[in-house]
Amino acid sequence: MGYVRYSQNDHEAATVLFNEALTSASIAQDELSAAEAQNWLGEVYLAQHKYHDAEISFSEARDAYNGLGNSPGRMRALDGLGGVYHARCLFDKAEKAFAEARSICVNIGDDVGRANVLNGMGAVRLAQCRYPEAKRCYEVALDVHLATCIYKAAESKYTLALDPETFNHIGNGIGRAMVLNGLGSVYLARHEEAESLFIEAEGICAQIGYDVGRANVLNGLAAVFLVKNRYSEAESFYNQSLDISNRVAYDLGRANSLQGLGSVYQVQRRFEGAENLFTEAKNIIFTSESRMAWDAQTH
């Protein structure tokens, strides 16, 4: 029942149900069920941007799975931790968690899990402006997805992978939006193609209510218009993304939007405003890292 509520974006009800499952499993000394409940709680907290709670749940699930020798469960918990660290701009920790999860996937032959982890690694490298590495992660993720299914012949593996009917076999709306957003970002120099990918991804995110994804996509769209010297449109998209990130307390999205707005101001020779925006973005990232350090010391 908890998963059903989670899939319906009813996070409060899902939290109650997974906590009840955790309590029951603990009373029955059912360590595997308790680990599963903790891992799902991590997913729910992550969806609500409750990053500290998510980290605790994923960490406890990881340790429990490790004690049970359950590699698939440990991989899922590490993948969740990677998502938490990425959201909090702790890129070294995110990459380490994703890399460990990927190694487990290779060892146990979990191709779908490996593709999902590679999407996470691509997002981390993209946030660090490591574009060739990000592109490679997304390409390998698509190749892995395609290799796990049988499809009709097609001229382009990317056209096939992004076909809506095909994608039903290899992922949901969030997964499709992630791939579109990632490819749009690494193809940023190819303006029209990138713009088309971002627009499609934004529509998917808006339809399914995926706010974090929509904030990221709007930042991507803004970057396209910035490169095309269409500064008013770039500023508008950065501000839309910033509004969403502020509403859902998404630190990475806020920092990226502010940095983008700073770039817009800079090319328009609005230097004082640009400096303030860059400083605010830097402070957000610093505060996020400091908060994580404080949490580690006090819990």
Side-chain angles (χ1 to χ4, degrees):
M1 285 297 294
Y3 173 75
V4 173
R5 295 296 189 183
Y6 170 73
S7 66
Q8 295 171 338
N9 293 322
D10 188 352
H11 298 135
E12 296 300 329
T15 300
V16 171
L17 290 167
F18 285 129
N19 271 314
E20 289 178 355
L22 176 61
T23 299
S24 297
S26 299
I27 293 172
Q29 297 185 332
D30 183 347
E31 295 181 19
L32 178 59
S33 295
E36 293 288 342
Q38 284 282 20
N39 203 64
W40 276 113
L41 279 170
E43 295 287 355
V44 175
Y45 290 138
L46 180 57
Q48 295 175 293
H49 320 293
K50 297 179 178 179
Y51 301 128
H52 174 63
D53 292 335
E55 184 188 3
I56 290 175
S57 291
F58 282 131
S59 296
E60 292 188 4
R62 176 201 58 196
D63 294 345
Y65 284 128
N66 191 45
L68 292 166
N70 188 311
S71 294
R74 187 160 181 261
M75 180 276 295
R76 292 196 304 274
L78 285 164
D79 186 39
L81 280 170
V84 171
Y85 294 141
H86 172 236
R88 300 186 72 168
C89 309
L90 299 172
F91 300 128
D92 289 343
K93 287 188 174 184
E95 189 155 1
K96 182 179 178 181
F98 283 133
E100 190 174 351
R102 181 182 60 178
S103 295
I104 294 173
C105 290
V106 172
N107 290 336
I108 66 177
D110 183 355
D111 290 332
V112 173
R114 182 160 67 99
N116 291 334
V117 170
L118 283 166
N119 269 334
M121 294 184 77
V124 170
R125 290 169 182 178
L126 183 61
Q128 295 174 300
C129 300
R130 295 157 61 186
Y131 299 122
E133 295 170 81
K135 181 174 181 287
R136 180 59 180 158
C137 285
Y138 289 124
E139 287 177 338
V140 174
L142 285 173
D143 286 341
V144 171
H145 274 310
L146 290 170
T148 61
C149 304
I150 299 174
Y151 301 108
K152 297 179 181 179
E155 290 182 352
S156 166
K157 64 184 176 183
Y158 295 114
T159 301
L160 179 62
L162 295 175
D163 179 77
E165 183 176 351
T166 300
F167 203 89
N168 287 334
H169 297 286
I170 61 175
N172 56 20
I174 291 177
R176 177 172 166 75
M178 285 174 61
V179 171
L180 288 163
N181 184 57
L183 287 175
S185 298
V186 297
Y187 293 150
L188 191 58
R190 291 149 62 175
H191 304 159
E192 300 306 322
E193 183 175 356
E195 183 179 345
S196 176
L197 290 166
F198 283 131
I199 288 172
E200 186 176 354
E202 196 274 336
I204 293 171
C205 291
Q207 183 178 9
I208 64 177
Y210 182 35
D211 290 329
V212 168
R214 188 161 180 241
N216 289 333
V217 171
L218 287 168
N219 275 333
L221 263 176
V224 170
F225 288 116
L226 177 58
V227 172
K228 294 168 74 172
N229 301 325
R230 292 164 60 177
Y231 303 128
S232 295
E233 290 159 287
E235 185 172 351
S236 175
F237 282 121
Y238 279 130
N239 277 317
Q240 288 180 50
S241 177
L242 182 60
D243 288 343
I244 293 171
S245 294
N246 282 332
R247 175 165 53 81
V248 300
Y250 178 39
D251 288 342
L252 178 59
R254 291 174 60 210
N256 287 338
S257 296
L258 290 164
Q259 286 179 326
L261 283 169
S263 296
V264 173
Y265 280 31
Q266 189 173 48
V267 297
Q268 293 179 313
R269 306 183 68 82
R270 297 153 67 183
F271 297 122
E272 183 176 351
E275 183 178 358
N276 291 336
L277 289 163
F278 287 136
T279 299
E280 188 176 353
K282 181 184 68 176
N283 288 340
I284 288 171
I285 294 174
F286 176 78
T287 301
S288 179
E289 292 177 345
S290 298
R291 189 189 311 125
M292 178 67 82
W294 173 254
D295 288 344
Q297 293 171 4
T298 57
H299 290 85

